[in-house]
Amino acid sequence: RGLEKRRRKVVWNNKPITKMKAIVITSPGGPEVLQLQEVEDPQIKDDEVLIKVHATALNRADTLQRKGGYPPPQGASPYPGLECSGIIESVGKNVSKWKIGDQVCALLSGGGYAEKVAAPEGQVLPIPSGISLKDATSFPEVACTVWSTTFMTSRLSKGETLLIHGGSSGIGTFAIQIAKYIGAKVFVTAGSEAKLAFCKSIGADVGINYKTEDFVARVKEETGGQGVDVILDCVGGSYFQRNLDSLNFDGRLFIIGFQGGVTTQVDLRPILAKRLTIQGAGLRSRSPENKAVIISEVEKNVWPAIAEGKVKPVIYKTFPLSEAAEAHRLMESSQHIGKILLLP
């Protein structure tokens, strides 16, 4: 925390420009392009708050941005980081819900890998009851992604079945817990027995090792030939046909990633025969108004589950912000279970 003492002030047009530390993507490339540098503090708009970042968390999108494949939306911070927790340091003149000193977590369009970040008022959440300020940073991105896709759009409901690909990821470990909370039966795929064992320890009913088992056959076996009602898929192209084959009548496939490619050849007949719905959405590119709706739904539906202890943070490892490159290497190794955090 000695950074505070070393903070420089530059005067521009008679106004001091304060500096902070942030992780800068110096050029598209591997983890080594992530460099801790001194940059200008964010300037907040009238409907934004300035958060002094206590912790941020990694997401796959950060690694794509680092490689040059996922540029930030227009007007967003150029620094990576799609969520944070911290303390509000200042508020815009139109902000009414928050005040200086509030402990919060937030969904960001970028900028979390820094000492400070600006966030729209509607994308800020209180710290869930019983959760530390540090651990709270593990929730905004996963909660908003899973709730907006699996529940608000695909309408997974009590008594239905959900298949989660990548069950041991940050998204997966959260989705398992919230789906069990609402009364669904949960299937997961993962690439090791240790990961599957962890998924079962937090509520998954059926674990499938995608390296040694055919998930379509296992899903059919476990559902009496019917298939599952909803699939949350981060793989994309290489799983598309098998996902269709794994769905029940009126099944819903929601695609949130393309780790298995963006193109495929497909037999369309199951879509008609089983009345299937195929959906997809990113979170980062949504409008602030749309994100505010999701945030409101998450606070109403997910935060009580966290307060009850039914949904817990799953944190694998924490790094100092200066070791962001090492954190990215860990994420890309896929050895982790749950979330990886960075602390400024």
Side-chain angles (χ1 to χ4, degrees):
R1 299 288 174 185
L3 291 169
E4 290 294 330
K5 296 176 184 175
R6 300 199 300 272
R7 200 179 295 283
R8 292 193 297 115
K9 286 193 176 182
V10 177
V11 176
W12 180 260
N13 287 346
N14 297 319
K15 290 182 180 178
I17 298 174
T18 53
K19 297 276 189 173
M20 67 172 183
K21 296 285 187 178
I23 292 292
V24 176
I25 300 170
T26 53
S27 64
E32 70 281 352
V33 305
L34 300 174
Q35 300 290 328
L36 188 66
Q37 296 184 2
E38 198 171 58
V39 301
E40 289 184 13
D41 278 2
Q43 300 301 305
I44 60 169
K45 298 171 184 168
D46 291 345
D47 61 347
E48 292 182 333
V49 300
L50 184 67
I51 300 171
K52 182 176 173 58
V53 177
H54 182 78
T56 186
L58 271 64
N59 289 279
R60 287 277 175 188
D62 302 341
T63 65
L64 295 176
Q65 180 176 339
R66 190 200 73 223
K67 295 172 186 174
Y70 193 38
Q74 189 173 3
S77 170
Y79 316 123
L82 299 177
E83 57 195 330
C84 77
S85 61
I87 298 172
I88 291 181
E89 200 167 83
S90 62
V91 298
K93 65 181 184 182
N94 294 338
V95 171
S96 58
K97 187 175 180 182
W98 308 105
K99 64 183 186 302
I100 293 169
D102 284 346
Q103 295 195 0
V104 296
C105 53
L107 180 69
L108 309 170
S109 296
Y113 290 22
E115 291 182 303
K116 296 181 182 183
V117 67
E121 176 182 31
Q123 290 168 221
V124 179
L125 285 154
I127 301 299
S129 177
I131 301 296
S132 71
L133 185 59
K134 175 175 77 73
D135 289 356
T137 198
S138 68
F139 284 122
E141 180 75 14
V142 294
C144 290
T145 296
V146 174
W147 193 261
S148 64
T149 57
T150 308
F151 297 93
M152 291 173 70
T153 308
S154 292
R155 303 199 176 279
L156 179 71
S157 56
K158 184 177 181 179
E160 289 194 311
T161 46
L162 169 67
L163 169 61
I164 304 160
H165 290 305
S168 62
S169 67
I171 292 279
T173 52
F174 175 83
I176 291 166
Q177 296 180 83
I178 195 66
K180 291 302 294 183
Y181 177 75
I182 65 102
K185 183 175 182 180
V186 177
F187 293 59
V188 299
T189 62
S192 75
E193 294 308 311
K195 288 181 176 180
L196 291 172
F198 184 85
C199 291
K200 287 191 172 183
S201 77
I202 59 170
D205 298 286
V206 178
I208 305 166
N209 187 329
Y210 67 82
K211 293 181 179 176
T212 60
E213 294 183 87
D214 173 7
F215 73 79
V216 182
R218 186 75 189 282
V219 162
K220 291 288 180 68
E221 177 190 329
E222 296 282 350
T223 60
Q226 289 186 310
V228 295
D229 298 301
V230 177
I231 299 176
L232 183 62
D233 177 49
C234 59
V235 179
S238 62
Y239 273 16
F240 192 75
Q241 186 70 60
R242 287 189 282 167
N243 280 332
L244 299 185
D245 296 340
S246 300
L247 283 167
N248 195 0
F249 285 91
D250 297 308
R252 292 87 77 195
L253 167 63
F254 208 109
I255 299 170
I256 57 168
F258 304 114
Q259 291 179 35
V262 297
T263 60
T264 188
Q265 193 165 358
V266 63
D267 177 354
L268 297 171
R269 287 175 292 184
I271 299 174
L272 271 66
K274 295 195 284 185
R275 305 183 298 273
L276 304 182
T277 303
I278 299 154
Q279 299 160 318
L283 185 60
R284 189 183 198 183
S285 59
R286 293 173 184 254
S287 69
E289 294 77 16
N290 191 261
K291 288 178 183 175
V293 170
I294 295 169
I295 286 282
S296 175
E297 289 293 306
V298 163
E299 185 172 358
K300 184 168 68 178
N301 295 288
V302 176
W303 259 221
I306 298 171
E308 289 173 34
K310 303 293 188 183
V311 175
K312 295 176 178 167
V314 179
I315 294 163
Y316 185 74
K317 193 168 183 180
T318 300
F319 292 86
L321 186 61
S322 58
E323 294 178 20
E326 199 55 42
H328 272 229
R329 288 187 189 99
L330 173 60
M331 172 163 269
E332 291 180 312
S333 76
S334 291
Q335 293 173 348
H336 63 291
I337 293 174
K339 300 284 284 189
I340 301 167
L341 306 189
L342 294 173
L343 302 182

